[in-house]
Amino acid sequence: MLVQTQQLAFNGTHGWGPTLRLTLGRLYQIDVTNADIQEGTTVHWHGQRLLNASWADGAAGLTQGAIPPGGTFTYRFLAEPAGTHWYHSHMMGQFGDGLRGALVVTDPADPLKEFYDEDQHLMLLADVFNSSLAQQLASHQAGSAPMAMCAGMDISDAPFYAIEINGQSFTSTGRAAVFTVKQGKQYRYRTVGGMSSWALRVSVEGHNITLIALDGHPIAPAAATAFEVNSGERADFVLTADQPVANYWINVATLTGHNSPAILHYEGAPDPATDPAFSETSFTSNFGCLDTNQPGVVGVKQAAALKAGPNVPSPPQESSRQITLYLANAGSNLVPASFAESATLDSNAYGFSASSAETLPAAGSAVCPEARQGAYCWSMNWKVFQMPPQLPIYSAANNGSAIGTAADNAYTITLKQGEVVDLALINTGYMVHPMHLHGASFWVLAAGVGNILAPDGTINTTAAGYNLVDPAFRDMISVQTARITSDTTMVSRNGHDGMGTMLEASDVAGLNTSGTSQPMDSGSASTSAGGGHGGHGGGSPAPMQSPPNNFVAGPSNGGHGGHTPMVPISPDDLGYAVIRFRADNPGVWAFHCHIDLHSMSGMMMLFTVAPTVSTTNTSWYAPAGLQCTI
């Protein structure tokens, strides 16, 4: 039975939109036309700095209105930084439904060139579904969607159907992607984590690999047997074709073990299409829950151990501001008294104004702001993000003035241009959150599990153990989960036992409309976003003072089928990451979890970088016409 999985497309393409290959430092114009998406669309240039061009960031409702059906929006920006990036819709739910493509910015003076001979392989990863992201969110908010889990970890709150590599998988298209190499050469692979939910582990049968870049920025070469990639992340690795001429599996598996492999094909080996050892029935389809502590695997737990590579700038040695963000499901993670008390301080660690703090849930409570959300509303600091009624970019252009009380639920922190900011990200639950900052990259100063906060919520830098010498420079950080200890009693929701339980997809028919195809070139480009074609279907499927009270995760009342701790989680067991960035790019910049269901349901906030504007300094502005109407 053919099942439609892709519902939206750029230029009518299957799996991914056209690959954009740009040159570092060149100015580009890209015209995006909405062919037939009724709710409108936008395009975000994920990983691009967009200096003085916040208006071109593509964040719907924040930097522009949605492009209506038949409308065209012109994006214009300087291609920087170099590296492996991507573009995707920033209308909630749309990139998971198919609106995504690769964006590679090449540097003629590539500092990584010494590590490889060939740079021709893109590995574009995506999770695909037979239900839309909007349908999945509605199921969670109705309390009818369980969670995919392994022991001690919530893996995904999206249903599993298939994983595709470059638009191919045995499950959804009946064939695997093939990567051809010549024996004796070294190849650079550019991997893009275009998944909307599922984290993936990549390994190559019979080969070790060397990671050389993350999120487009060079890292010190890191040898690995496998690496993990979360939604939004990019990883460049070098593979040396030093094995006997043959075909080899490239295993791409969820952390629950579902494997959707590609094939590494040496020139001179049998054609994979006719090699019986590489058919859809000859690979390991399920490894079972993967060990996140396995030696040789580079993943979330190694984030702080990775070092900066060549030409990466050193971090500022001091910060001028510290901000703490708890990552929480506001519908089930109870507000600790220490947070509730410190949030009301005049100069609190969370960026709250007095009026904003008044809207927080009371200590010991957990509630979504809208009844329709059930108990499924992800947040930062228990602020469930809601889109402001007007585009905040216009307020930001007016000397960075506040958005206003009417948009108080649009969690916004105003920064002065040039400030150096430390963000402490504290994970209160058992799911990894891949966090993405628009408009800037950041240094990963610390990451791990432990208590790095003082009682007032500020960062204890000694406990965190900053790396101020050579930290990795990125635009994504996946924050580790809280730790389950021997005295943490666990149950799960919606009838699951919390031990390696898998959620499978239900049969829900997908939208089947047509898109249009238009050519692209390297100087200017035009792309059309529309409904996906009908041909995409397939076969079967750090110790310190303790705050006054511990963090508590509350009981379930539906909506989020994950682990439920029955005793308080000690602050010593919370996951964390600390990042540092320089707020030197004026504009409105989103910061959010890149799991689409999480950002859709509220895990988002804004940084407004107040520009220094005068009659003689007008380098940043918000052009008219950004507020499109449908």
Side-chain angles (χ1 to χ4, degrees), residues 318-345:
E318 301 287 342
S319 65
S320 52
R321 187 164 182 183
Q322 293 184 357
I323 298 169
T324 295
L325 299 173
Y326 283 94
L327 311 179
N329 182 348
S332 62
N333 293 140
L334 304 186
V335 177
S338 57
F339 169 81
E341 293 167 3
S342 59
T344 62
L345 299 175

Side-chain angles (χ1 to χ4, degrees), residues 10 18 30 36 80 89 109 120 138 199 219 224 242 247 261 325 358 379 387 423 439 448 472 510 526 594:
F10 285 116
I30 303 175
D36 55 9
E80 65 164 339
S89 170
Q120 64 195 51
I219 62 169
D242 57 0
N247 295 316
L325 299 173
E358 290 174 357
S379 74
M387 284 291 174
L423 282 184
S526 175
H594 215 276

Side-chain angles (χ1 to χ4, degrees), residues 261-329:
I263 298 171
L264 180 70
H265 169 68
Y266 276 66
E267 289 184 6
D271 183 350
T274 58
D275 186 346
F278 287 82
S279 70
E280 61 181 316
T281 61
S282 59
F283 68 95
T284 302
S285 62
N286 198 322
F287 296 113
C289 287
L290 302 181
D291 181 3
T292 58
N293 296 309
Q294 181 178 329
V297 176
V298 175
V300 173
K301 295 180 179 180
Q302 289 73 42
L306 299 171
K307 309 302 182 184
N311 293 5
V312 170
S314 298
Q317 294 300 290
E318 301 287 342
S319 65
S320 52
R321 187 164 182 183
Q322 293 184 357
I323 298 169
T324 295
L325 299 173
Y326 283 94
L327 311 179
N329 182 348

Side-chain angles (χ1 to χ4, degrees), residues 44 46-47 84-86 88 90 95 192-195 214-217 229-235 300 303-304 306 425 432-438 440-444 447 472-479 577-579 590-595:
H44 168 57
H46 187 126
T84 304
H85 307 291
W86 62 309
H88 58 82
H90 219 275
F95 91 79
V192 179
M195 307 79 64
L214 293 175
D215 301 337
H217 298 285
V229 59
N230 281 273
S231 174
E233 296 177 335
R234 289 88 69 211
V300 173
L306 299 171
L425 307 173
V432 169
H433 293 288
M435 305 301 293
H436 173 50
L437 178 62
H438 291 218
S441 294
F442 50 75
W443 293 270
V444 181
F473 196 49
R474 307 187 59 177
D475 60 58
M476 297 281 317
I477 181 66
S478 290
V479 187
V578 182
I579 62 175
F591 182 61
H592 61 92
C593 180
H594 215 276
I595 295 174

Side-chain angles (χ1 to χ4, degrees), residues 185-275:
K185 286 187 172 290
Q186 292 181 303
Y187 292 83
R188 180 177 186 166
Y189 281 72
R190 299 175 180 266
T191 306
V192 179
M195 307 79 64
S196 65
S197 181
W198 290 86
L200 301 175
R201 182 180 293 183
V202 179
S203 62
V204 184
E205 179 188 15
H207 297 71
N208 290 328
I209 59 178
T210 301
L211 289 164
I212 59 171
L214 293 175
D215 301 337
H217 298 285
I219 62 169
T225 57
F227 67 92
E228 295 171 3
V229 59
N230 281 273
S231 174
E233 296 177 335
R234 289 88 69 211
D236 291 25
F237 68 89
V238 172
L239 181 144
T240 301
D242 57 0
Q243 297 300 301
V245 172
N247 295 316
Y248 299 86
W249 289 115
I250 301 175
N251 292 309
V252 180
T254 67
L255 299 187
T256 53
H258 281 282
N259 187 27
S260 184
I263 298 171
L264 180 70
H265 169 68
Y266 276 66
E267 289 184 6
D271 183 350
T274 58
D275 186 346

